[in-house]
Amino acid sequence: MDLHKLISMLADGEFHSGEEIGECLGVSRAAIWKQIKRIEELGLDVFKVTGKGYKLSAPIRLLDGDRIFDGLNSSASSWIRKLDVLTITDSTNQRALDLADTVAGKGYLCFAEYQSQGRGRRGRKWVSPLGSNLYFSMVKEFANGAAALEGLSLMVGLSIVNALKEFDIGGLSLKWPNDVILEGKKVAGILLEMTGDPSGLCQVVIGVGINVAKSKMMDEIDQAWISLGEVSNSSLDRNQLAISVVNSLVASLEKFEVEGFAAFRPGWSEYDALKGRSVSLATANNSINGDVVGVDDTGGLLLRTEGEVKCFKSGEITVRLES
Ligand code: BTN
């Protein structure tokens, strides 16, 4: 049975009888029951009431590829060569990596309602329940290898913040290198993966996950997190959110290609959640304590440690309790 059709039927949040579903989708009661179980495993709450049928605990608005494409501005839509909205996939980053060096892949944008193996930075898992959040990846080609990518992940974080401002969401900040923070908790993450020639023509997959609504499945996340729905007055349409974030991202990428991260540094500093804070930076070999000064023109972290300011290109930050 086509799971997407069943989810689309239930999306209105109303009751649908087994008979109605069976007739529409041409399947048996037993097959429906099996797929309802599957939908629950993927993260949606389904009520089952004898005599009435099945109903989602709340209506959902599914992602719609045509609507997203139509809402994009001319720079973003002319960049796209292929746009997919997948109901279930392992990871949109993986789908994008698989296509990255094909013609279509050079302007590929891939959304998913559910990821079975959503991945985060540093080998972590990105919990990706069905229909609640935004998960997408896009492929961008760069001519000058890894050196031209300095600060790219910070730029992506800033462009997400700029897009979220359109939805009247206050209390946003950025935690180096690229966590988007809302009221002190993580609301969005970015994972860049590169393929191709590291010193020449390469393709970068930009993967973005934004928490939009709470879901039981997200209880397993082991860090402080929040969803946009917790602070937004109106119900957020993920399609509209997708349009704004992609428009913002494409505009920023065009500027980044010409001017590099330096052009985004003032904007990033405005939202810097760590400036002036005492932190520990865990690098590959050791842990360094210091006070954050800011970021430099390449997106490196400037840390005052042992009386001098040093620049770090990677590492994991923990904020220290100030005494
Ligand atoms: C992080 O750890 O902060 C990065 C999270 C990135 C998650 C997104 S969701 C869409 C894309 N596909 C993935 O598998 N990961 C990224």
Side-chain angles (χ1 to χ4, degrees), residues 250-315:
V250 172
S252 297
L253 281 166
E254 284 174 353
K255 187 168 173 175
F256 182 86
E257 271 192 301
V258 183
E259 301 175 49
F261 177 71
F264 297 90
R265 183 180 173 192
W268 205 93
S269 300
E270 208 183 306
Y271 290 98
D272 189 344
L274 298 176
K275 202 185 280 175
R277 307 290 301 268
S278 296
V279 300
S280 284
L281 177 75
T283 64
N285 314 315
N286 56 2
S287 176
I288 300 136
N289 291 341
D291 297 325
V292 175
V293 175
V295 295
D296 73 358
D297 277 351
T298 67
L301 178 78
L302 297 172
L303 202 60
R304 187 182 305 281
T305 175
E306 293 167 355
E308 58 174 320
V309 176
K310 292 184 186 161
C311 178
F312 295 89
K313 299 284 180 192
S314 66

Side-chain angles (χ1 to χ4, degrees), residues 3 7 38-44 63 86-92 111-118 125-133 135 217 238:
L3 197 65
I7 299 166
R38 176 100 178 100
I39 289 178
E40 287 181 314
E41 280 161 20
L42 301 179
L44 289 179
L63 293 172
L86 308 171
T87 306
I88 298 177
T89 191
D90 47 1
S91 151
T92 56
F111 294 87
E113 291 286 7
Y114 173 87
Q115 298 183 116
S116 57
Q117 287 168 57
K125 177 177 173 186
W126 190 257
V127 180
S128 311
L130 185 99
S132 317
N133 301 322
Y135 321 112
M217 198 183 268
R238 290 177 305 140

